[in-house]
Amino acid sequence: MTVTVRFAPSPTGRIHIGNARTALFNWLFAMNNKGRFIQRFDDTDIARSKQEYADSILYDLHWLGIFPDVTEYQSRRFDIYDAAVERLKAARVLYACYETPEELDLRRKVRRTRGLPPVYGREALTLTPEQVAEYQADGRRPHWRFLLPNFTSDPLQPERTEVHWNDLVRGEETVDLASLSDPVLVREDGTYLYTLPSVVDDIEMGVSHVIRGDDHVTNTGVQIAIFRALDAEPPVFGHHNLLTTVSGEGLSKRSGALSIESLREDGIEPMAVASLAVLVGTSENVTAAHDLNELAGHFDPAATSKSASKFDPDELFVLNRTLMHHMSFEEARDRLMVLGISGDKAEPLWMAVRGNLDRLSDALAWWQILSDGPQEPAEFSGEDRDFLNQAFDVLPEEPWNGTVWKDWTGKIKEATGRKGKPLFMPLRLALTGRTSGPELSDLLPLMGREGTLARRP
Ligand code: GLU
């Protein structure tokens, strides 16, 4: 059987790094198993779902290197869910309930005070036809609950009923169906909650592995029961730990925190995002993978920790710097061109500056420093000014070869007696306006003799 996975966000906001973790876990799992990847939008909540969010999610996935084999929208598949509802009703495992939220709330409170677990007591199953008729006459419409198979013959006498699965990430997992309320699958207004459409689609689309966040572990117990009620074999499940901010808060699509879009706008490379999103909270070291193939080689769902992982955005810059440092000119060329960095000097510039960049676009500042001089010329003491004048006096004549920097500084040493930092720092400041940056031996040839002399303070 072909391994088939799906990434199933609801399109209610921009995806964040935690969603990217789920998408990448699925994508890398498919890569490692020659499988298929379905992009499924869980957009049954018509009011909150938006096409523009679905489009932005696809854009973000493409940016990360994820190209789904197919894209599906649940909002276009209601007929299929309606048919499943009819099947469940016919099997008498979907039943009508008429309680209002306030009534349910009150009942939960009563159960708590009696020391009972606050689960739904299946009171709707005891309604007489007259009571139902009365509710209907009052204009109440039913919501529909799935009858969890947690009893022998009397649903009002639930018994401990364990559902087991071997989780790809967490190993042996157990959920006791008696500890849960019968889930509402269809609301009063006929709209679907996430639970049933997801199972129906996983069956219909041949999903073999469901890899998602561990906030769904309990759902899995319920959904396995629904798979069985629909005569389907449940897929393999894997629940990865969730990412939190450094202060321990969960990430939310709605808040926009750590959205893929904002990271992209900050100049973070897709492979920095992907490497951290996949490797944080696993037993693997977090290093910058060059591409998804390399990352797939480090990916092992079973190596993921069971507790939440803190995600530090600063680590993205560390990975970004590593990626810049190793990025070949061929890889950078087109993007540099878009920044206006082209021509003969583009490659030597890139090779000179790449080891000093936080983000690729920072190359532009160095390009401007080289072509137009320091952006903010430095201030020098009288002593340093004299030193620099002496230094510029001994600048070698052209043509220059690869040793010009060494030759020049040798001559400066001889002429001024300075060495070390007192020699290099004023030169660096005069030439670039900055106290740190790429090797001056690489930058000097790019300035040329004339360009260098133009920097004489
Ligand atoms: N729409 C669900 C979510 O975003 C999907 C969960 C699942 O993968 O089944 O949490």
Side-chain angles (χ1 to χ4, degrees):
M1 189 182 56
T2 314
V3 164
T4 302
V5 296
R6 84 299 193 280
F7 173 52
S10 49
T12 52
R14 310 282 317 212
I15 50 169
H16 53 61
I17 186 111
N19 305 124
R21 180 174 177 81
T22 309
L24 284 159
F25 266 49
N26 279 285
W27 180 251
L28 298 177
F29 189 80
M31 275 178 89
N32 285 345
N33 292 283
K34 300 194 176 23
R36 295 169 68 234
F37 179 103
I38 298 172
Q39 176 54 41
R40 191 182 84 200
F41 288 111
D42 284 4
D43 57 350
T44 54
D45 182 345
I46 309 277
R48 285 178 48 227
S49 300
K50 291 207 169 77
Q51 184 63 43
E52 68 189 75
Y53 289 132
D55 293 343
S56 75
I57 291 171
L58 285 173
Y59 185 91
D60 290 344
L61 293 180
H62 293 172
W63 181 75
L64 286 166
I66 295 177
F67 295 90
D69 293 289
V70 276
T71 300
E72 303 275 6
Y73 293 84
Q74 291 195 323
S75 58
R76 301 176 192 170
R77 299 170 55 80
F78 286 121
D79 290 353
I80 303 171
Y81 312 139
D82 293 347
V85 160
E86 291 315 313
R87 274 185 73 183
L88 295 177
K89 281 184 190 167
R92 309 182 81 75
V93 289
L94 195 65
Y95 61 98
C97 304
Y98 290 87
E99 295 91 345
T100 62
E102 295 73 33
E103 286 164 358
L104 288 172
D105 201 36
L106 187 65
R107 260 199 223 141
R108 264 193 300 269
K109 282 186 186 135
V110 171
R111 285 183 78 93
R112 267 209 202 91
T113 51
R114 291 195 193 141
L116 296 169
V119 295
Y120 180 60
R122 292 179 167 156
E123 289 80 358
L125 291 177
T126 63
L127 291 175
T128 61
E130 293 73 33
Q131 286 171 307
V132 171
E134 211 171 296
Y135 281 136
Q136 286 174 344
D138 282 353
R140 283 207 200 182
R141 301 186 52 190
H143 54 274
W144 297 83
R145 285 186 193 262
F146 174 68
L147 186 64
L148 288 170
N150 56 10
F151 55 93
T152 312
S153 55
D154 179 1
L156 299 180
Q157 302 289 328
E159 300 157 8
R160 184 171 178 88
T161 308
E162 291 183 353
V163 174
H164 301 276
W165 72 92
N166 190 2
D167 197 284
L168 273 182
V169 176
R170 300 162 61 90
E172 275 307 317
E173 276 293 334
T174 303
V175 168
D176 172 18
L177 294 183
S179 68
L180 305 175
S181 294
D182 286 341
V184 176
L185 301 188
V186 189
R187 300 188 185 89
E188 289 78 9
D189 61 2
T191 58
Y192 286 99
L193 283 104
Y194 142 82
T195 318
L196 177 68
S198 181
V199 171
V200 171
D201 284 346
D202 288 340
I203 298 171
E204 291 268 330
M205 297 175 189
V207 170
S208 61
H209 293 74
V210 169
I211 303 172
R212 56 188 178 185
D214 61 15
D215 48 339
H216 285 289
V217 168
T218 310
N219 279 342
T220 295
V222 168
Q223 288 184 322
I224 287 177
I226 301 178
F227 275 99
R228 297 209 169 112
L230 291 169
D231 293 324
E233 194 51 41
V236 176
F237 286 92
H239 296 88
H240 63 74
N241 59 352
L242 299 185
L243 303 185
T244 68
T245 63
V246 178
S247 51
E249 292 149 43
L251 307 179
S252 137
K253 272 214 257 356
R254 263 170 286 175
S255 73
L258 292 169
S259 73
I260 301 302
E261 178 190 39
S262 67
L263 299 176
R264 179 170 54 241
E265 283 171 357
D266 270 355
I268 306 290
E269 296 294 308
M271 281 313 301
V273 175
S275 302
L276 191 54
V278 169
L279 299 176
V280 70
T282 72
S283 56
E284 285 279 331
N285 285 334
V286 178
T287 52
H290 178 259
D291 54 30
L292 291 179
N293 276 319
E294 186 187 328
L295 192 56
H298 294 286
F299 171 66
D300 172 11
T304 310
S305 142
K306 283 197 192 181
S307 48
S309 285
K310 290 204 167 136
F311 172 86
D312 180 357
D314 286 347
E315 277 194 62
L316 286 170
F317 279 100
V318 176
L319 298 173
N320 227 37
R321 278 193 283 275
T322 311
L323 288 167
M324 294 291 120
H325 202 125
H326 294 103
M327 190 180 287
S328 69
F329 176 64
E330 284 63 42
E331 280 176 89
R333 185 195 341 248
D334 290 352
R335 292 167 65 190
L336 294 173
M337 212 178 283
V338 171
L339 294 173
I341 303 174
S342 62
D344 292 351
K345 288 190 176 168
E347 180 163 6
L349 170 98
W350 177 250
M351 299 314 279
V353 305
R354 64 178 187 171
N356 284 81
L357 304 179
D358 284 337
R359 47 175 83 75
L360 186 132
S361 60
D362 294 346
L364 184 58
W366 287 106
W367 178 254
Q368 285 164 346
I369 289 171
L370 290 177
S371 25
D372 310 332
Q375 285 155 334
E376 281 171 50
E379 300 282 328
F380 293 104
S381 66
E383 214 179 311
D384 278 349
R385 189 175 285 271
D386 289 346
F387 160 76
L388 285 166
N389 273 307
Q390 276 179 285
F392 280 93
D393 284 343
V394 295
L395 182 66
E397 293 292 334
E398 275 171 334
W400 285 353
N401 60 24
T403 62
V404 60
W405 173 252
K406 200 160 157 262
D407 298 344
W408 187 26
T409 49
K411 287 186 179 187
I412 299 173
K413 229 180 266 176
E414 222 171 85
T416 66
R418 283 205 195 189
K419 55 182 184 182
K421 200 171 170 198
L423 182 149
F424 292 110
M425 191 49 84
L427 279 176
R428 179 173 280 288
L429 277 170
L431 294 175
T432 69
R434 296 196 180 185
T435 53
S436 64
E439 294 291 339
L440 290 170
S441 55
D442 293 331
L443 296 183
L444 191 68
L446 291 166
M447 296 179 201
R449 188 163 198 277
E450 205 182 317
T452 306
L453 289 176
R455 289 163 161 87
R456 187 195 275 263

